[in-house]
Amino acid sequence: MASPLEGGADALLLDLPRGPLQAYRARASFCWKELVLFLEGEDVLRLKKTIFSTLENDPLFARSHEEDISLDRYRELSFLRCKRIMEYNLLPLEDMVANPLWFQVFTNCLGMYDWSLAIRLLLNMVTFGLAIYNLGSERHLKYLPKIFNMEIFGCFAVTELSHGSNAKAIRTTAHYDPITQEFIIHSPDFEAAKFWVGNMGKTATHAVVFAQLYTPEGQCHGLHPFVVQIRNPKTLLPMPGVMIGDMGKKLGLNGIDNGFAMFHKVRIPRQDLLNRNGEVTLEGTYVTPFKDDRQRFGASLGTLSMGRVAIVGMSTVNLKLAVSIALRFSATRCQFGPSDEEEVPVLEYQMQQWRLLPYLAAVYALDHFSKSLFLDLVDLQQGLMGKDQSARQAELGREIHALVSASKPLASWTAQKGIQECREACGGHGYLAVNRLGDLRNDNDPNCTYEGDNNILLQQTSSYLLSLLASRIERGVRLESPLKTVDFLEAYPEILGQRFSCPSINSCLDSSVPLAAYEWLVCYLLLESYQKLNEEERSGRNDFEARNNSQVYYCRPLALAFLELTVVRRFHEYTHQPSVPPPLRAILGRLSALYALWTLSQHMALLYQGGYFSGEEAGKMIQNAILTLCSQLKDDAVALVDVIAPPDFVLDSPIGRADGELYKNLWTAVLQESEVLKRPSWWLEFTVNKPRVGSLKSKL
C-alpha cells in the first residue's frame, strides 16, 4: 500500500528495496510506514535512525562474527564499542530524564546489533549506576559523573557460588571497625565467592557488593550494599586483598566478561556503605528508617526490578529479530505447489502460518507491554526519589513487583520457544550460523535464569495474588490496586459463574472474547490455589511444605495466566482506543485477537477442567479462530515485519534481508565464509605424518 505520509515522517522511513518480497508487500492491507509512525512517533524514529546509522558508519562496529574471533578479542571489541557509544552521547542525560522511554529504545537498538554491547552498558549505567543513585545518598553522587564518562566501570555483585535465588543466605560479610571507621569486606570461603558477575571478569573497576553487615557488638543486620573498588582504573590490576577471575566461555553473550571475586579482609571507608535503607554511625550504631527488616531487604534489592523489566524488552527484541528473519525467509522460500510446474512460498502453507504468525502477534503485544511496564516502574522510582510515603506508593510497589516477577518468565520463555520455532521453520538454512538464529537463541537463553530463576520469580506473583484474596475472604478488604490489574477480582464469585458463549467463529475474532475467558481462568486458578494451600496446612504441613506442594498445577499457572491476562488486556485497550487511525484498526485488532486466543489455547485443559468450556465445539471454535486469523494475517506478514525489523546491517542475516533475494544473499554469504577449492590447512600435515599400516601392526 502506498504511503499516506508527508514531510519529515516519510523522510525518516525510506522505501524498501524492490525484489521478491514485493508481491507480499503489494498485497498488504495497510501502509507499514503509517503503522511505524503510530507505534513509535517521529522523535523515536529519529533517535533510532541516528543510532543505526552511527553503528553502520563507524568501522569499529564492522560486523565480525563471534566464531571468527577469539574470546579475548570479542570482549575487547565489546568494551571498546561500549566506550565509543558513551563518547557519542547519542542519548544525552537531559533527554533521558525528559523522555525515560527513550532509554529503553536506546538499549534495545544496541541490543539488536549485539546484546553483549548493550548489556555491558546496562550493567555499568543502570544496574551499577542506578544502585548507587537509588540505594545511596548525597555523599555517593560523586560516582555518577565517573560512571557516565567511564572513568570507572561498574558491576553488581549479589550472587555467590553457593547462593543465587536465596539472597538472604549470602555469606560475604562486612564488619564495621569503629577505630578506623571502615568496613572489612570478607569472603569466609570459596563458596562465598561472588559469582556470575557481569563486567567483573576483565574490566570492572568498582562493584556494588552485597554483604551481611555486622556492627561492633557482633550483631548481624542483614544484607546491605557497599561500593567496593576491585581494580586500579589505570592498570586494571586487582586491588590488595581482592582475587578476581574470568569465568570463561559461555553458551552465549560471550562479549560480556562474567567473573568471580573473593575478598580477604578488604577495608573500605564507612561512607561507601550505600545508606538509604540502613546506616552505621561513626561509633558503630546501626540506624534504619524501616521497622520491618523484610521491607528494608526488599527495598535494597528493588534495583533488580529495573533489570528484570530490561529483560522483558531484551527477550521481545530477540523474538522480533527471529520472527523478522523467519517470515522474510518464508515469503521467498518456494517449495512444492498444486502442480509439478508451480512452487509456492512456504508462507502459503497453513502449518507455516500457524507456527510463525502467533509469535509475530506476540512481538507486538509484548513490545507494547514492555513499554507500559517500563513507564510504570519509572513512576514508582520517581515516587521513591520524592520520598513518597503514601499507602498508594507502597501498594504500587507491591503490584509492580508482582508484575515484573511474572513478566520476565513470560517474555523470556515466549522468546525462547519462538526463536527455536523460527530456527526450525527456516529448515537447514536456519541452522547456518551466519543467519543469526543460533546466536539469538543462545543470547536469549540466560534471560530465563539470571536476575532470578523464572519458576522462583513466579512464586512472588502468586504470593501477591493469594495475599489479596486472603485479605478479601478473611477481613473483607476490597480487591483493588493502583494500576487496576487486579480490580476485576473483586467480582470473582460472579465471574466464576460465567461460561463460554460464542455463537460463531466470527464472533471469536476479537480479543474481548479471550479477555473474558482469561478473567475466569485467573479467578479459577486463584481460588483453587487458595484452597490447595489451606488443604495442605490443614493436613499438618508447615508453610514451607504447603507452598512447595502447591506450585506445579496451582500457583505456577496462576502467575502465568495473570500476567498473560494483563498483557492481553493492555494490548486490547491499546489497539481499540479511539486514537487508532481507521486504516490501522483492522490489522491491530487481528494481532490483538490472535495473541490472546493463541495464549489462551495453551490453557485449554484447565478451561475444560474448571467447567468454563463444555463440549467439543468450544475447543474447536478457539482453534478455528486461530487458523482464521493466521489466514487473514498471512498477506500482511511481510509488511508487519517491515514495521519491526531494523536495517539489514543490524539484522545481520542473509536470509532475512529486506530485498528478499534469499538465494543470492545466502550464496554470497557462504562464499565469503568458505575457502572455495582450497585444500584444508590440516591436510598437508596429515599426509606427511600419515602412519604406515605396518608400523601400526608392530605397535599393536
Side-chain angles (χ1 to χ4, degrees), residues 586-659:
I587 188 67
L588 287 173
R590 287 175 188 142
L591 288 170
S592 178
L594 178 56
Y595 176 72
L597 288 165
W598 174 68
T599 54
L600 181 70
S601 69
Q602 296 168 43
H603 301 287
M604 204 87 81
L606 284 169
L607 294 167
Y608 274 109
Q609 176 181 304
Y612 186 74
F613 281 177
S614 61
E616 63 181 25
E617 284 305 311
K620 286 183 176 179
M621 194 168 289
I622 297 297
Q623 292 171 344
N624 289 331
I626 290 170
L627 295 177
T628 299
L629 286 164
C630 286
S631 178
Q632 291 176 353
L633 285 167
K634 178 254 300 180
D635 287 343
D636 286 318
V638 171
L640 287 167
V641 164
D642 293 336
V643 171
I644 61 176
D648 287 340
F649 170 77
V650 176
L651 186 60
D652 194 32
S653 175
I655 63 173
R657 292 180 67 87
D659 62 8

Coordinates of all heavy atoms in Angstrom, one line a residue, residues 586-659:
A586 N -8.1 -2.5 11.8 CA -8.3 -4.0 11.5 C -7.1 -4.8 11.7 O -7.1 -5.8 12.4 CB -8.8 -4.1 10.0
I587 N -5.9 -4.3 11.3 CA -4.7 -5.1 11.4 C -4.3 -5.2 12.9 O -3.9 -6.3 13.4 CB -3.6 -4.5 10.6 CG1 -2.3 -5.4 10.6 CG2 -3.1 -3.1 11.0 CD1 -2.6 -6.7 9.9
L588 N -4.4 -4.1 13.6 CA -4.1 -4.2 15.1 C -5.1 -5.0 15.8 O -4.7 -5.8 16.8 CB -4.0 -2.8 15.6 CG -2.8 -1.9 15.2 CD1 -3.0 -0.5 15.7 CD2 -1.5 -2.5 15.7
G589 N -6.3 -5.0 15.4 CA -7.3 -5.8 16.1 C -7.1 -7.3 15.9 O -7.2 -8.1 16.8
R590 N -6.6 -7.7 14.7 CA -6.3 -9.1 14.4 C -5.1 -9.5 15.2 O -5.1 -10.7 15.7 CB -6.0 -9.3 12.9 CG -7.3 -9.2 12.0 CD -7.0 -9.2 10.6 NE -8.2 -9.0 9.8 CZ -8.3 -8.3 8.7 NH1 -7.1 -7.7 8.2 NH2 -9.4 -8.1 8.0
L591 N -4.1 -8.7 15.3 CA -2.9 -9.0 16.1 C -3.3 -9.3 17.5 O -2.8 -10.2 18.2 CB -1.8 -7.9 16.0 CG -1.1 -7.8 14.6 CD1 -0.3 -6.5 14.6 CD2 -0.2 -9.0 14.4
S592 N -4.1 -8.4 18.1 CA -4.6 -8.5 19.4 C -5.3 -9.8 19.7 O -5.1 -10.5 20.6 CB -5.4 -7.3 19.8 OG -5.9 -7.4 21.1
A593 N -6.2 -10.1 18.8 CA -7.1 -11.3 18.9 C -6.2 -12.5 18.8 O -6.4 -13.5 19.5 CB -8.2 -11.3 17.9
L594 N -5.3 -12.6 17.8 CA -4.5 -13.8 17.6 C -3.6 -14.0 18.8 O -3.6 -15.2 19.3 CB -3.6 -13.6 16.4 CG -2.7 -14.8 16.1 CD1 -3.5 -16.1 16.0 CD2 -1.9 -14.6 14.8
Y595 N -3.0 -13.0 19.4 CA -2.1 -13.3 20.5 C -3.0 -13.8 21.7 O -2.6 -14.7 22.4 CB -1.4 -12.0 21.0 CG -0.6 -12.2 22.3 CD1 0.5 -12.9 22.3 CD2 -1.1 -11.7 23.5 CE1 1.2 -13.2 23.5 CE2 -0.4 -11.9 24.7 CZ 0.7 -12.7 24.6 OH 1.4 -12.9 25.8
A596 N -4.1 -13.1 21.9 CA -5.0 -13.5 23.1 C -5.5 -15.0 22.9 O -5.5 -15.8 23.9 CB -6.1 -12.5 23.2
L597 N -6.0 -15.3 21.7 CA -6.5 -16.7 21.5 C -5.5 -17.7 21.6 O -5.7 -18.8 22.1 CB -7.3 -16.7 20.2 CG -8.6 -16.0 20.1 CD1 -9.1 -15.8 18.7 CD2 -9.7 -16.7 20.9
W598 N -4.3 -17.4 21.0 CA -3.2 -18.4 21.0 C -2.7 -18.7 22.4 O -2.5 -19.8 22.7 CB -2.1 -17.8 20.1 CG -0.8 -18.6 20.1 CD1 -0.6 -19.8 19.5 CD2 0.5 -18.2 20.6 NE1 0.7 -20.2 19.7 CE2 1.4 -19.2 20.3 CE3 0.9 -17.1 21.3 CZ2 2.7 -19.2 20.7 CZ3 2.2 -17.0 21.7 CH2 3.1 -18.0 21.4
T599 N -2.5 -17.6 23.2 CA -2.0 -17.9 24.6 C -3.1 -18.6 25.4 O -2.8 -19.5 26.2 CB -1.6 -16.6 25.3 OG1 -2.7 -15.7 25.2 CG2 -0.4 -16.0 24.6
L600 N -4.3 -18.2 25.2 CA -5.4 -18.9 25.9 C -5.5 -20.3 25.5 O -5.8 -21.2 26.4 CB -6.8 -18.2 25.6 CG -8.0 -18.7 26.3 CD1 -7.9 -18.4 27.8 CD2 -9.3 -18.2 25.7
S601 N -5.3 -20.7 24.3 CA -5.4 -22.1 23.8 C -4.5 -23.0 24.5 O -4.7 -24.2 24.6 CB -5.2 -22.2 22.3 OG -3.8 -21.9 22.0
Q602 N -3.4 -22.5 25.1 CA -2.4 -23.3 25.9 C -3.0 -23.7 27.2 O -2.3 -24.5 28.0 CB -1.1 -22.5 26.0 CG -0.5 -22.3 24.6 CD 0.7 -21.2 24.7 OE1 1.5 -21.3 25.6 NE2 0.7 -20.3 23.7
H603 N -4.1 -23.1 27.6 CA -4.8 -23.5 28.9 C -6.1 -24.2 28.7 O -6.9 -24.2 29.5 CB -5.1 -22.2 29.7 CG -3.8 -21.4 30.0 ND1 -2.9 -21.7 30.9 CD2 -3.4 -20.2 29.5 CE1 -1.9 -20.8 31.0 NE2 -2.2 -19.9 30.1
M604 N -6.2 -24.8 27.5 CA -7.5 -25.5 27.1 C -7.9 -26.5 28.2 O -9.1 -26.6 28.5 CB -7.4 -26.1 25.8 CG -8.7 -26.3 25.1 SD -9.2 -24.8 24.1 CE -8.2 -25.0 22.6
A605 N -6.9 -27.3 28.6 CA -7.3 -28.3 29.6 C -7.9 -27.7 30.9 O -8.9 -28.3 31.4 CB -6.1 -29.2 29.9
L606 N -7.3 -26.6 31.4 CA -7.8 -26.0 32.6 C -9.2 -25.4 32.4 O -10.1 -25.5 33.3 CB -6.9 -24.9 33.0 CG -5.6 -25.4 33.7 CD1 -4.6 -24.2 33.9 CD2 -5.9 -26.0 35.1
L607 N -9.5 -24.9 31.2 CA -10.8 -24.3 30.9 C -11.9 -25.4 30.9 O -13.0 -25.2 31.3 CB -10.7 -23.6 29.5 CG -9.8 -22.3 29.5 CD1 -9.6 -21.9 28.1 CD2 -10.5 -21.2 30.3
Y608 N -11.5 -26.6 30.4 CA -12.5 -27.7 30.4 C -12.5 -28.3 31.9 O -13.6 -28.6 32.4 CB -12.0 -28.8 29.5 CG -12.5 -28.6 28.1 CD1 -11.6 -28.3 27.0 CD2 -13.9 -28.8 27.8 CE1 -12.1 -28.1 25.7 CE2 -14.3 -28.6 26.5 CZ -13.4 -28.3 25.5 OH -13.9 -28.1 24.2
Q609 N -11.4 -28.4 32.5 CA -11.4 -28.9 33.9 C -12.2 -28.1 34.9 O -12.9 -28.7 35.7 CB -9.9 -28.9 34.4 CG -9.7 -29.4 35.8 CD -8.2 -29.3 36.2 OE1 -7.4 -29.9 35.5 NE2 -7.9 -28.6 37.3
G610 N -12.2 -26.8 34.7 CA -13.0 -26.0 35.6 C -14.4 -25.7 35.2 O -15.2 -25.1 35.9
G611 N -14.7 -26.2 34.0 CA -16.1 -26.1 33.5 C -16.5 -24.9 32.7 O -17.6 -24.7 32.4
Y612 N -15.5 -24.0 32.4 CA -15.8 -22.8 31.6 C -16.1 -23.3 30.2 O -17.0 -22.7 29.5 CB -14.6 -21.9 31.6 CG -14.8 -20.6 30.9 CD1 -15.6 -19.6 31.5 CD2 -14.3 -20.3 29.6 CE1 -15.9 -18.4 30.8 CE2 -14.5 -19.1 29.0 CZ -15.3 -18.1 29.6 OH -15.6 -17.0 28.9
F613 N -15.4 -24.3 29.7 CA -15.7 -24.9 28.4 C -16.4 -26.2 28.7 O -16.2 -26.9 29.6 CB -14.4 -25.3 27.6 CG -13.7 -24.1 26.9 CD1 -12.5 -24.3 26.2 CD2 -14.3 -22.9 26.9 CE1 -11.9 -23.3 25.6 CE2 -13.6 -21.8 26.2 CZ -12.4 -22.0 25.6
S614 N -17.3 -26.5 27.8 CA -18.0 -27.8 27.8 C -18.3 -28.2 26.4 O -18.7 -27.4 25.6 CB -19.3 -27.7 28.7 OG -20.2 -26.8 28.1
G615 N -18.2 -29.5 26.1 CA -18.5 -29.9 24.7 C -17.3 -29.6 23.8 O -16.5 -28.7 24.1
E616 N -17.3 -30.4 22.7 CA -16.1 -30.2 21.8 C -16.1 -29.0 21.0 O -15.1 -28.5 20.5 CB -16.0 -31.4 20.9 CG -17.2 -31.6 20.0 CD -17.1 -32.8 19.0 OE1 -16.4 -33.8 19.4 OE2 -17.7 -32.8 18.0
E617 N -17.3 -28.3 20.8 CA -17.4 -27.1 20.0 C -16.6 -26.0 20.5 O -16.0 -25.2 19.7 CB -18.9 -26.7 19.8 CG -19.7 -27.6 18.9 CD -19.0 -27.7 17.5 OE1 -18.7 -26.6 17.0 OE2 -18.8 -28.8 17.0
A618 N -16.5 -25.8 21.8 CA -15.8 -24.7 22.4 C -14.3 -24.7 22.0 O -13.8 -23.7 21.5 CB -15.9 -24.7 23.9
G619 N -13.7 -25.9 22.2 CA -12.3 -26.0 21.8 C -12.0 -25.8 20.4 O -11.1 -25.2 19.9
K620 N -12.9 -26.4 19.5 CA -12.8 -26.3 18.1 C -12.9 -24.9 17.6 O -12.3 -24.5 16.7 CB -13.8 -27.2 17.4 CG -13.5 -28.7 17.5 CD -14.5 -29.5 16.7 CE -14.2 -31.0 16.7 NZ -15.2 -31.8 15.9
M621 N -13.8 -24.2 18.3 CA -14.1 -22.8 17.9 C -12.8 -21.9 18.1 O -12.4 -21.1 17.3 CB -15.2 -22.2 18.6 CG -15.8 -20.9 18.0 SD -17.3 -20.4 18.7 CE -18.4 -21.6 18.0
I622 N -12.1 -22.1 19.2 CA -10.9 -21.4 19.5 C -9.8 -21.8 18.5 O -9.1 -20.9 17.9 CB -10.4 -21.7 20.9 CG1 -11.4 -21.2 22.0 CG2 -9.0 -21.1 21.2 CD1 -11.6 -19.7 22.0
Q623 N -9.7 -23.1 18.2 CA -8.7 -23.5 17.2 C -9.0 -22.9 15.8 O -8.1 -22.4 15.2 CB -8.7 -25.0 17.2 CG -8.1 -25.7 18.5 CD -8.3 -27.2 18.5 OE1 -9.1 -27.7 17.7 NE2 -7.6 -27.8 19.4
N624 N -10.2 -23.0 15.4 CA -10.6 -22.5 14.1 C -10.4 -21.0 14.0 O -10.1 -20.4 12.9 CB -12.0 -22.9 13.7 CG -12.1 -24.4 13.4 OD1 -11.2 -25.0 13.0 ND2 -13.3 -25.0 13.7
A625 N -10.7 -20.3 15.1 CA -10.5 -18.8 15.1 C -9.0 -18.5 15.0 O -8.7 -17.5 14.2 CB -11.0 -18.2 16.4
I626 N -8.1 -19.2 15.6 CA -6.7 -19.0 15.5 C -6.3 -19.2 14.0 O -5.5 -18.4 13.4 CB -5.9 -20.0 16.4 CG1 -6.1 -19.6 17.9 CG2 -4.4 -20.0 16.1 CD1 -5.6 -20.6 18.9
L627 N -6.7 -20.3 13.4 CA -6.4 -20.5 12.0 C -6.9 -19.5 11.0 O -6.3 -19.1 10.1 CB -6.8 -21.9 11.6 CG -6.1 -23.1 12.3 CD1 -6.7 -24.4 11.9 CD2 -4.6 -23.1 12.1
T628 N -8.2 -19.0 11.3 CA -8.8 -18.0 10.5 C -7.9 -16.7 10.6 O -7.7 -16.0 9.6 CB -10.2 -17.7 11.0 OG1 -11.0 -18.9 10.8 CG2 -10.8 -16.6 10.2
L629 N -7.5 -16.3 11.8 CA -6.7 -15.1 12.0 C -5.4 -15.2 11.3 O -4.8 -14.3 10.7 CB -6.5 -14.8 13.4 CG -7.8 -14.2 14.1 CD1 -7.7 -14.3 15.6 CD2 -8.0 -12.8 13.7
C630 N -4.8 -16.4 11.4 CA -3.5 -16.7 10.7 C -3.7 -16.5 9.2 O -2.8 -15.8 8.5 CB -3.0 -18.1 11.0 SG -2.3 -18.3 12.6
S631 N -4.8 -17.0 8.6 CA -5.0 -16.8 7.2 C -5.2 -15.4 6.8 O -4.7 -14.9 5.8 CB -6.3 -17.6 6.8 OG -6.6 -17.5 5.5
Q632 N -6.0 -14.6 7.7 CA -6.2 -13.2 7.4 C -4.9 -12.4 7.5 O -4.8 -11.4 6.8 CB -7.2 -12.7 8.4 CG -8.6 -13.2 8.2 CD -9.6 -12.7 9.3 OE1 -9.2 -12.1 10.3 NE2 -10.9 -13.0 9.1
L633 N -4.0 -12.8 8.4 CA -2.7 -12.0 8.6 C -1.6 -12.4 7.6 O -0.6 -11.7 7.5 CB -2.3 -12.2 10.0 CG -3.0 -11.4 11.1 CD1 -2.7 -12.0 12.5 CD2 -2.7 -9.9 11.0
K634 N -1.8 -13.5 6.9 CA -0.8 -14.0 6.0 C -0.3 -13.0 5.0 O 1.0 -12.8 4.8 CB -1.3 -15.3 5.3 CG -0.3 -15.9 4.4 CD -0.7 -15.7 2.9 CE -2.1 -16.3 2.6 NZ -2.4 -16.0 1.2
D635 N -1.2 -12.3 4.3 CA -0.7 -11.3 3.3 C -0.2 -10.1 3.9 O 0.5 -9.3 3.2 CB -1.9 -11.0 2.4 CG -2.3 -12.1 1.4 OD1 -1.5 -13.0 1.2 OD2 -3.4 -12.1 0.9
D636 N -0.4 -9.8 5.2 CA 0.1 -8.7 5.9 C 1.5 -9.0 6.6 O 2.1 -8.0 7.2 CB -0.9 -8.1 6.9 CG -2.1 -7.4 6.3 OD1 -1.8 -6.7 5.3 OD2 -3.2 -7.7 6.7
A637 N 1.9 -10.2 6.6 CA 3.0 -10.6 7.4 C 4.3 -9.9 7.1 O 5.0 -9.4 8.0 CB 3.2 -12.1 7.3
V638 N 4.6 -9.8 5.8 CA 5.8 -9.1 5.4 C 5.8 -7.6 5.8 O 6.8 -7.1 6.3 CB 6.1 -9.3 3.9 CG1 7.2 -8.4 3.4 CG2 6.4 -10.8 3.6
A639 N 4.7 -7.0 5.5 CA 4.6 -5.6 5.9 C 4.7 -5.4 7.4 O 5.3 -4.4 7.9 CB 3.2 -5.0 5.4
L640 N 4.1 -6.3 8.2 CA 4.2 -6.3 9.7 C 5.7 -6.5 10.1 O 6.1 -5.9 11.1 CB 3.3 -7.3 10.3 CG 1.8 -7.0 10.3 CD1 1.0 -8.3 10.7 CD2 1.5 -5.9 11.2
V641 N 6.4 -7.3 9.4 CA 7.9 -7.4 9.7 C 8.6 -6.1 9.3 O 9.5 -5.7 10.0 CB 8.4 -8.6 8.9 CG1 10.0 -8.6 8.8 CG2 8.0 -9.9 9.5
D642 N 8.2 -5.5 8.2 CA 8.9 -4.3 7.8 C 8.8 -3.2 8.9 O 9.6 -2.3 9.0 CB 8.3 -3.7 6.5 CG 8.6 -4.6 5.3 OD1 9.6 -5.4 5.4 OD2 7.9 -4.6 4.3
V643 N 7.7 -3.3 9.6 CA 7.4 -2.3 10.7 C 8.4 -2.5 11.9 O 8.9 -1.5 12.4 CB 6.0 -2.5 11.3 CG1 5.8 -1.6 12.5 CG2 5.0 -2.0 10.2
I644 N 8.8 -3.7 12.2 CA 9.6 -4.0 13.4 C 11.1 -4.3 13.1 O 11.9 -4.3 14.0 CB 9.0 -5.2 14.1 CG1 9.0 -6.5 13.3 CG2 7.6 -4.9 14.7 CD1 8.5 -7.7 14.0
A645 N 11.4 -4.7 11.8 CA 12.8 -5.1 11.5 C 13.7 -3.9 11.4 O 13.4 -2.9 10.9 CB 12.8 -5.9 10.2
P646 N 14.9 -4.0 12.0 CA 15.9 -3.0 11.9 C 16.6 -3.1 10.5 O 16.3 -4.0 9.7 CB 17.0 -3.4 13.0 CG 16.9 -4.9 13.0 CD 15.4 -5.2 12.8
P647 N 17.5 -2.1 10.1 CA 18.2 -2.2 8.9 C 19.0 -3.5 8.7 O 19.3 -4.1 9.7 CB 19.1 -0.9 8.9 CG 18.5 0.0 9.9 CD 17.8 -0.9 10.9
D648 N 19.3 -3.8 7.5 CA 20.0 -5.1 7.2 C 21.3 -5.2 7.9 O 21.7 -6.3 8.4 CB 20.2 -5.2 5.7 CG 19.0 -5.5 4.9 OD1 18.0 -6.0 5.5 OD2 19.0 -5.2 3.7
F649 N 22.0 -4.1 8.1 CA 23.3 -4.1 8.8 C 23.1 -4.6 10.2 O 24.0 -5.3 10.7 CB 24.0 -2.7 8.8 CG 25.2 -2.6 9.6 CD1 26.4 -3.2 9.2 CD2 25.1 -2.0 10.9 CE1 27.5 -3.1 10.1 CE2 26.2 -1.9 11.7 CZ 27.4 -2.5 11.3
V650 N 22.0 -4.2 10.8 CA 21.8 -4.5 12.2 C 21.2 -5.9 12.3 O 21.6 -6.7 13.2 CB 20.9 -3.5 12.9 CG1 20.5 -3.9 14.3 CG2 21.5 -2.1 12.9
L651 N 20.2 -6.2 11.4 CA 19.6 -7.6 11.5 C 20.6 -8.6 11.2 O 20.6 -9.7 11.8 CB 18.5 -7.6 10.4 CG 17.6 -8.9 10.4 CD1 16.9 -9.1 11.8 CD2 16.6 -8.8 9.3
D652 N 21.5 -8.4 10.2 CA 22.7 -9.2 10.0 C 22.3 -10.7 9.7 O 22.8 -11.6 10.3 CB 23.6 -9.2 11.2 CG 25.0 -9.7 10.9 OD1 25.5 -9.6 9.8 OD2 25.6 -10.3 11.8
S653 N 21.4 -10.9 8.8 CA 21.0 -12.2 8.4 C 20.8 -12.3 6.9 O 19.8 -11.7 6.4 CB 19.7 -12.6 9.1 OG 19.3 -13.9 8.7
P654 N 21.6 -13.0 6.1 CA 21.4 -13.1 4.7 C 20.0 -13.5 4.3 O 19.4 -13.0 3.3 CB 22.5 -14.1 4.2 CG 23.5 -14.0 5.3 CD 22.8 -13.7 6.6
I655 N 19.4 -14.5 5.0 CA 18.1 -14.9 4.6 C 17.0 -14.0 5.1 O 15.8 -14.2 4.8 CB 17.8 -16.4 5.1 CG1 17.8 -16.4 6.7 CG2 18.8 -17.4 4.6 CD1 17.4 -17.8 7.2
G656 N 17.3 -13.0 5.8 CA 16.3 -12.0 6.3 C 16.4 -10.6 5.8 O 15.8 -9.7 6.3
R657 N 17.2 -10.5 4.7 CA 17.5 -9.1 4.2 C 16.2 -8.5 3.6 O 15.3 -9.3 3.1 CB 18.6 -9.1 3.2 CG 20.0 -9.4 3.8 CD 21.1 -9.4 2.7 NE 21.3 -8.1 2.2 CZ 22.1 -7.1 2.7 NH1 22.7 -7.4 3.8 NH2 22.2 -6.0 2.1
A658 N 16.1 -7.2 3.6 CA 14.9 -6.5 3.2 C 14.6 -6.7 1.7 O 13.5 -6.6 1.2 CB 14.9 -5.1 3.5
D659 N 15.6 -7.0 0.9 CA 15.4 -7.1 -0.6 C 14.8 -8.4 -1.0 O 14.3 -8.6 -2.1 CB 16.7 -6.9 -1.4 CG 17.8 -7.9 -1.1 OD1 17.5 -8.9 -0.4 OD2 18.9 -7.7 -1.5

